[in-house]
Amino acid sequence: MSSPRRKIVAGNWKMNLDRSQARSLAAAVAARSSEAAAAELVLCPPALYLDPVLEAVAHSPVSVGGQNMHDKASGAFTGEIAPPMLIDLGCRYVILGHSERRTLFGETDTVVNAKARAALAAGLTPIVCVGETLQEREAGRTGDVVTAQVRGSLAGLSAAEIGRLVIAYEPVWAIGTGKVATPEQAQEVHALIRRVLGTLASPEVAAKVRIQYGGSVKPDNAAELAAQPDIDGALVGGASLKADDFLGIARAFGG
Ligand code: PEP
């Protein structure tokens, strides 16, 4: 039986590109999005370039998301971006709890949870990132760590709210390292995450939630990841900065 979940491939551009490069890359992805028409494509540029990227994809099915946001709707939070501001621009998604936010900016599951609630309240679809470090994997703690992150990040959300979000499983040791999890390693954790979602919401809701894999996904390893039953797309860092590479990955999921 084929999956009821529409695949979703998102590009996390991180703190890269300038305005003109951001516009050109977005325009190139938009112009070729039909190559992966069965998948949903999402671009997450630096916040300052959300507007030109939104303009560049305006007449295409490509969606746009933020890379982070604050959990308050407005207020004295210098330098921060409020969820309604992302909605106001036209964003549909926001990445939350990326491992770089967790390790470099001290975001805990409690912080991610507050942001997830705020994103959902504003009408954004959060892409909630979880994943173990190499040390945790080697200590045999992957399952416990990922389970705790999912439970903590989604604490208190209703089944309906859980049904609206996307999870990205990103083993920290695979992000930007060129080391990709094997399809079997990734599938095992994706299936675990779906079971955890089943206990937090219901098996029916869990069956609808899209779980992306992230960590050194490239055009030449995407197909074997896409073949796994619980891998519903990819969150792509480095390879999302080149239209050919991003679209190569997108085609593996939705071509
Ligand atoms: C990421 O940062 O979300 C990521 C998966 O990066 P990369 O694809 O470069 O490993």
Side-chain angles (χ1 to χ4, degrees):
M1 196 184 80
S2 69
S3 167
R5 300 177 293 272
R6 187 170 185 217
K7 303 284 193 278
I8 174 166
V9 179
N12 174 13
W13 294 358
K14 308 193 185 187
M15 196 172 72
N16 292 301
L17 308 179
D18 62 21
R19 181 167 53 166
S20 135
Q21 290 166 333
R23 199 187 276 122
S24 311
L25 178 55
V29 171
R32 294 172 54 192
S33 60
S34 62
E35 293 176 19
E40 187 173 1
L41 304 186
V42 184
L43 301 180
C44 300
L48 283 174
Y49 304 146
L50 283 167
D51 217 22
V53 165
L54 278 153
E55 270 175 33
V57 303
H59 302 292
S60 81
V62 176
S63 297
V64 176
Q67 295 178 10
N68 180 36
M69 50 161 238
H70 198 273
D71 66 315
K72 297 289 184 296
S74 66
F77 301 102
T78 301
E80 292 291 326
I81 295 166
M85 294 174 182
L86 293 175
I87 288 283
D88 186 27
L89 282 183
C91 293
R92 293 187 51 203
Y93 288 89
V94 63
I95 300 171
L96 296 179
H98 188 277
S99 79
E100 287 148 21
R101 299 294 319 168
R102 290 177 183 266
T103 55
L104 303 174
F105 301 96
E107 290 194 8
T108 59
D109 289 332
T110 307
V111 170
V112 178
N113 181 240
K115 292 186 177 192
R117 289 164 186 253
L120 288 162
L124 291 160
T125 298
I127 298 176
V128 177
C129 304
V130 296
E132 81 287 0
T133 63
L134 185 58
Q135 206 182 15
E136 289 163 343
R137 174 162 283 269
E138 286 176 345
R141 297 184 51 228
T142 298
D144 288 348
V145 168
V146 171
T147 299
Q149 287 176 332
V150 172
R151 287 185 168 280
S153 302
L154 308 190
L157 297 187
S158 68
E161 287 172 325
I162 290 174
R164 284 172 48 204
L165 47 78
V166 174
I167 305 283
Y169 167 57
E170 299 208 300
V172 178
W173 49 271
I175 297 178
T177 58
K179 285 186 201 154
V180 65
T182 65
E184 295 72 27
Q185 283 174 324
Q187 167 58 28
E188 189 183 357
V189 181
H190 281 233
L192 167 70
I193 292 171
R194 204 174 300 287
R195 286 197 298 279
V196 175
L197 294 174
T199 63
L200 293 175
S202 68
E204 292 73 28
V205 168
K208 289 190 201 137
V209 175
R210 294 178 295 175
I211 307 176
Q212 299 174 304
Y213 169 79
S216 298
V217 181
K218 305 274 182 292
D220 61 4
N221 60 28
E224 54 182 12
L225 291 162
Q228 299 300 313
D230 286 291
I231 299 184
D232 307 314
L235 180 53
V236 186
S240 71
L241 295 171
K242 290 196 178 128
D244 281 346
D245 288 352
F246 184 67
L247 288 159
I249 293 165
R251 280 196 303 274
F253 285 93

